[in-house]
Amino acid sequence: MNFDRHRRLRSSVNMRNMVRETALHKRDLIYPIFVIEKDDVKKEISSMPGIYQLSLNIMDEEVHEAYKLGIRAVILFGIPNRKDACGTGAYDDEGIIQKATRKVKSLYPDMLVLADTCLCEYTDHGHCGVLDEHTHDVINDETLPLLVQTAVSQAKAGADIIAPSNMMDGFVTEIRKGLDEAGFVNVPIMSYGIKYASAFYGPFRDAAESAPSHGDRKSYQMDPANRLEAMLELESDLKEGCDMMIVKPALSYLDIIRDVRNNSNVPIVAYNVSGEYSMTKAASMNGWVDEERIVMEQMLSMKRAGADMIITYFAKDICKYLDEGEY
Ligand code: PBG
């Protein structure tokens, strides 16, 4: 016969496992938790079944569960009681994220806590920085010092990794400088520098109550049509000293993850965002797709594209699948 026999290596489970190129591990997973400043709340987010806003006084259970399942990294998002024009709550040492960070670190000192450094959950207008009163656009250079204060306050509270998601130019330079000056030379920056202006963040904005009250984020987040621009963002962030790079969203941007892999040597993080979770969940709750198989296939696709870690709302489910299934 004059053809190649690719099926030889697909003949049995053990044969297939032996030649598998990509694997997903629990250590790859980062689990997002929404912490609300009000007491006694456990409220399911209607567009994200299985994901909750949790009060500080009742978030322990969630952290215990995640830890027991094998999750060793969480990213925290805060829903403050009060918001204002400058997002003061983001850099308040007694703010919700600072308290939640201390709480997680006191429960499990070895659990890595990632802090999302942004102002949108704390501003009354819902934008990621301070606004120009005439144009209503976010002023880049006036926002930077507030982000630096936020990052330093998060590091002081015990955050292990600073993950700035605001998309202001120069944030890596400024935050690195601020962290170093405050004595946090060893706290890494995981940059969300490649973040697209995406409709896939819709459910997150319900969860974090952070939808902009006017306009959109297109003057600071990237145009989904652009691929080369992602390489410019990458170059800047590497030059500015970021330690890890996030690509966000993940599933519609696997080409970008691959580009980052081929053009840098930093660890890459895929953010499997809220809309990706909601779509998968909705279809599986209707019985239209097999949730476990679809989720695991999605995770493998991100790793295959070049991601090292994945931020995902499915993290707890994945740990269960990894415990029970053949992966
Ligand atoms: C904060 C932030 C957002 C997300 C993560 N950090 C929202 C946004 O940019 O509007 C979205 C995450 C998700 O959709 O799961 N800026």
Side-chain angles (χ1 to χ4, degrees), residues 116 118 120 165 195 201 204-205 217 221 248 274 313:
D116 179 275
C118 195
C120 62
S165 64
K195 176 171 178 181
Y201 309 148
F204 174 94
R205 293 177 189 172
R217 303 208 203 290
Q221 300 181 350
K248 179 180 171 190
S274 57
Y313 303 95

Side-chain angles (χ1 to χ4, degrees), residues 188-296:
I189 295 177
M190 180 189 277
S191 169
Y192 278 90
I194 301 179
K195 176 171 178 181
Y196 286 87
S198 171
F200 284 100
Y201 309 148
F204 174 94
R205 293 177 189 172
D206 297 339
E209 301 177 8
S210 63
S213 57
H214 68 270
D216 52 40
R217 303 208 203 290
K218 290 183 183 162
S219 78
Y220 42 106
Q221 300 181 350
M222 290 172 58
D223 182 344
N226 295 353
R227 182 171 174 186
L228 298 174
E229 192 187 348
M231 295 303 98
L232 294 177
E233 285 281 1
L234 172 67
E235 265 173 49
S236 302
D237 285 6
L238 292 174
K239 198 172 61 198
E240 294 181 32
C242 83
D243 301 281
M244 296 178 262
M245 198 70 201
I246 302 180
V247 175
K248 179 180 171 190
L251 291 173
S252 299
Y253 298 84
L254 296 177
D255 56 330
I256 309 298
I257 295 177
R258 173 47 55 185
D259 283 345
V260 176
R261 178 70 302 150
N262 291 346
N263 289 287
S264 75
N265 296 314
V266 289
I268 300 172
V269 188
Y271 198 138
N272 179 218
V273 299
S274 57
E276 298 171 336
Y277 176 87
S278 301
M279 288 188 343
T280 303
K281 215 48 187 181
S284 54
M285 285 169 77
N286 270 296
W288 296 336
V289 295
D290 178 328
E291 182 166 337
E292 174 171 346
R293 292 188 57 207
I294 288 269
V295 168
M296 293 309 268

